[in-house]
């Protein structure tokens, strides 16, 4: 089982598309002659079918569209004063490093070609007009090539991706599809509804529709829909919808898929003549690329954002979990006030003002940052409340914790 879990942080999108497509959002079914007439199946049986799927090879094309509801205009404006002097101005160009380049998938619409041949060989090509960005994992090597800039990125696949020890140990996992399905349904408990809601035609294949919905009020998630290939059990589609309505938050899906073994040439890469080659890790000593503060925020702001990942704060105060299920809220108490912090650059305060809305309550005052799914409340006294919950739920948590 360990072999099937091999993964590199740079080829996750390919593996997701191939073997665990249920973790990416998917587009609505293509217009067809109507929904297929398939034998009835229960939610548990469909989960078992997904768990039993042994799909290791495929090739195809899919579209992914993302609408997080981020205030992008405010973000651009707020970052304007910070960009100067960071090399982030016009003409900087897109990075060839996969860790940065693939972040563009979190917004807009994109077309991708994918191919997979087991855990050791995957390929993803991001199409952008006439330009292409290709990411290839073949054995010990990970290659990326940007046709627009003629740049190449190369890195050895992480050791845990090559030795099959990435992820939980076999003995920690359910041993059969039925056991896995039982665990999923048990974990859902009283907070989640899991049902089968009809069928669909996806990329020309018959599929069942698995629908997951919160039972709790206060969550920003309306539903998650996964279309599962009726023959192989491979997830083909997934739509994440917000209670705000409108376009799905994530909406992507296979428009063409073939489960036969791709040609070996799909995973072969030869550096084009004259191309600039960057070896992974070469710029680590200079700090994380794309981090305008070189791994740490200025002044006391580092503490104000404690708990949000590398370079974004200390672990002062830790993280407290409020609630359960779909309405879980993480509370981080940095102990460092944000309002009136003289060490914060004025551009940073401008960024906060442009991205968030001022809110008040018994807890005091703060700034609310909204997306269609994840919302966060940063109080002026340095507390952060974040979760896939509504504004009212965050304010209620802040009031209760004042």
């Amino acid at each position: 089982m360990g072999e099937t879990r091999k993964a590199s942080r740079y080829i996750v999108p390919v593996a997701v598309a191939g073997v665990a497509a249920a973790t990416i959002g998917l587009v609505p079914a293509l217009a067809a002659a109507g929904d297929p007439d398939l034998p009835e199946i229960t939610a548990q049986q469909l989960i078992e079918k997904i768990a039993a799927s042994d799909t290791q090879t495929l090739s195809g094309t899919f579209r992914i569209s993302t609408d997080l509801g981020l205030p992008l205009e405010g973000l651009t404006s707020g970052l304007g004063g910070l960009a100067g002097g960071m090399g982030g101005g016009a003409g900087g160009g897109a990075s060839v490093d996969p860790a940065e380049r693939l972040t563009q998938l979190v917004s807009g619409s994109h077309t991708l070609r994918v191919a997979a041949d087991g855990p050791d060989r995957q390929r993803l090509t991001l199409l952008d007009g006439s330009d292409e960005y290709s990411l290839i994992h073949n054995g010990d090597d990970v290659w990326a090539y940007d046709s627009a800039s003629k740049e190449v990125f190369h890195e050895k696949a992480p050791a845990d991706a090559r030795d099959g020890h990435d992820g939980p140990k076999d003995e920690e996992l359910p041993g059969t599809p039925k056991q896995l399905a039982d665990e999923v349904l048990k974990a859902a408990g009283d907070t989640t509804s899991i049902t089968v809601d009809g069928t669909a035609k996806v990329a020309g294949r018959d599929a069942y529709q698995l629908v997951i919905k919160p039972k709790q009020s206060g969550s920003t998630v309306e539903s998650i829909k996964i279309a599962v290939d009726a023959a192989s059990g491979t997830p083909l589609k997934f739509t994440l919808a917000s209670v705000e309505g409108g376009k799905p938050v994530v909406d992507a899906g296979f428009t063409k898929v073939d489960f036969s073994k791709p040609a070996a040439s799909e995973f072969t890469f030869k550096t084009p003549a004259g191309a600039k080659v960057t070896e992974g890790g070469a710029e680590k000593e200079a700090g994380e690329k794309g981090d305008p503060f070189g791994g740490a925020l200025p002044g006391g702001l580092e503490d104000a954002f404690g708990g949000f990942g590398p370079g974004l704060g200390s672990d002062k105060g830790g993280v407290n979990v409020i609630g359960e299920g779909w309405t879980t809220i993480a509370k981080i108490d940095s102990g460092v006030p944000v309002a009136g912090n003289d060490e914060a650059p004025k551009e940073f305060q401008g960024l906060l003002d442009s991205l968030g809305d001022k809110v008040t309550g018994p807890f005091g005052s703060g700034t609310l940052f909204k997306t269609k799914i994840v919302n966060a409340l940063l109080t002026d006294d340095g507390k952060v409340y974040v979760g896939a919950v509504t504004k009212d739920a965050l304010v209620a948590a802040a009031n209760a914790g004042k």
Side-chain angles (χ1 to χ4, degrees):
M1 291 181 65
E3 285 296 316
T4 63
R5 294 191 186 87
K6 292 184 179 180
S8 164
R9 66 189 178 100
Y10 296 134
I11 51 84
V12 166
V14 182
V16 164
V19 183
T23 60
I24 66 171
L26 311 162
V27 294
L30 300 176
D35 295 337
D37 184 13
L38 298 173
E40 290 188 5
I41 190 172
T42 66
Q44 176 156 348
Q45 289 171 333
L46 188 52
I47 294 173
E48 291 176 16
K49 194 175 189 68
I50 297 172
S53 176
D54 60 355
T55 299
Q56 291 287 309
T57 62
L58 68 75
S59 58
T61 305
F62 66 88
R63 290 274 297 170
I64 179 167
S65 297
T66 312
D67 183 10
L68 296 175
L70 289 169
L72 296 180
E73 291 184 2
L75 178 61
T76 302
S77 173
L79 287 175
L82 293 174
M86 297 176 191
S95 170
V96 72
D97 187 337
E100 297 179 40
R101 188 60 174 270
L102 294 181
T103 59
Q104 66 183 270
L105 295 179
V106 302
S107 65
S109 297
H110 306 275
T111 299
L112 303 100
R113 290 198 305 264
V114 299
D117 182 10
D120 291 325
R121 286 172 292 279
Q122 300 94 27
R123 181 184 185 118
L124 177 150
T125 299
L126 174 61
L127 307 177
D128 186 7
S130 59
D131 297 322
E132 295 185 0
Y133 177 81
S134 296
L135 180 59
I136 303 164
H137 170 218
N138 192 346
D140 290 346
D141 295 292
V142 175
W143 295 93
Y145 176 63
D146 181 11
S147 68
S149 65
K150 310 297 183 186
E151 292 187 46
V152 174
F153 175 92
H154 173 252
E155 186 171 50
K156 288 295 183 182
D160 57 6
R162 300 194 299 267
D163 62 17
H165 294 300
D166 185 40
K169 295 180 180 178
D170 293 349
E171 59 267 23
E172 296 174 350
L173 298 175
T176 67
K178 184 180 185 306
Q179 288 175 341
L180 188 146
D182 289 342
E183 289 296 323
V184 170
L185 294 172
K186 180 181 178 181
D190 297 330
T191 67
T192 307
S193 166
I194 304 178
T195 60
V196 178
D197 185 16
T199 63
K201 203 79 170 178
V202 182
R205 297 186 66 88
D206 294 346
Y208 290 102
Q209 297 266 37
L210 185 69
V211 180
I212 303 167
K213 289 186 175 183
K215 290 182 178 179
Q216 301 163 293
S217 61
S219 172
T220 53
V221 176
E222 193 280 326
S223 67
I224 297 172
K225 296 182 179 180
I226 304 170
V228 182
D229 185 75
S232 68
T234 303
L236 298 176
K237 300 184 51 171
F238 172 115
T239 302
L240 172 60
S242 167
V243 294
E244 290 189 6
K247 294 180 180 179
V249 177
V250 184
D251 189 21
F254 283 99
T255 58
K256 181 179 180 181
V257 65
D258 183 345
F259 292 109
S260 59
K261 184 183 179 73
S265 58
E266 283 287 326
F267 313 106
T268 301
F269 180 78
K270 182 178 180 181
T271 303
K276 176 186 175 183
V277 180
T278 299
E279 290 292 333
E283 301 181 7
K284 296 300 182 183
E285 294 183 1
E288 289 294 328
K289 290 162 51 178
D291 183 347
F293 301 110
L297 292 173
L301 290 176
E302 180 176 359
D303 288 332
F305 284 85
F308 279 117
L312 290 180
S314 68
D315 56 1
K316 180 187 293 185
V319 178
N320 293 321
V321 177
I322 302 170
E324 64 176 353
W326 298 85
T327 56
T328 298
I329 296 173
K331 175 187 176 182
I332 302 97
D333 187 354
S334 69
V336 179
V338 175
N341 190 330
D342 295 333
E343 296 181 338
K346 63 180 181 180
E347 292 88 356
F348 185 85
Q349 188 60 54
L351 177 61
L352 293 183
D353 293 341
S354 65
L355 293 180
D357 299 322
K358 285 294 183 181
V359 294
T360 59
F363 71 88
S365 61
T367 305
L368 178 72
F369 304 95
K370 294 182 61 179
T371 74
K372 283 187 172 182
I373 289 295
V374 179
N375 295 324
L377 172 61
L378 172 61
T379 65
D380 290 345
D381 62 357
K383 296 182 180 66
V384 180
Y385 298 84
V386 61
V389 297
T390 62
K391 166 190 171 181
D392 290 343
L394 289 177
V395 172
N399 288 336
K402 70 181 181 67

